[in-house]
Amino acid sequence: MCEAELEQLAEKIAEKLEEKCGACHLTSEEQEHVRDLIRTKKKAVKATLWLIGALVLWILKDAYLYIIEHLTFK
């Protein structure tokens, strides 16, 4: 998500809260903290996926090398 998409998401959440509760009870500072939390979560998920992907590739490489080294044609 880019910055514009995060702003749209924050606005939609504020609109939903306003419809439900009558008004958004979060101050602008609290809303900014929520945006920061969303950004942090997004970065953590991306880093975790990269790490898992690297581990999977490493395991596949080791399995491939093991199979190739132990394959003999007689």
Side-chain angles (χ1 to χ4, degrees), residues 3-61:
E3 195 67 33
E5 291 172 330
L6 286 174
E7 289 294 327
Q8 287 178 334
L9 180 62
E11 288 174 10
K12 287 180 182 181
I13 290 172
E15 287 174 10
K16 293 286 183 181
L17 284 173
E18 190 173 320
E19 289 173 4
K20 227 177 196 180
C21 304
C24 181
H25 298 290
L26 297 175
T27 64
S28 60
E29 184 178 312
E30 291 171 331
Q31 290 175 1
E32 188 59 37
H33 287 298
V34 170
R35 287 186 193 114
D36 290 339
L37 182 64
I38 291 171
R39 284 186 206 110
T40 303
K41 181 181 176 187
K42 179 184 143 194
K43 289 177 184 177
V45 167
K46 186 181 275 189
T48 303
L49 288 175
W50 275 102
L51 181 62
I52 291 171
L55 287 173
V56 167
L57 286 176
W58 187 20
I59 291 168
L60 289 175
K61 177 195 65 114

Side-chain angles (χ1 to χ4, degrees), residues 60-71:
L60 289 175
K61 177 195 65 114
D62 285 346
Y64 173 77
L65 291 175
Y66 178 80
I67 291 169
I68 293 301
E69 289 174 2
H70 290 85
L71 227 132

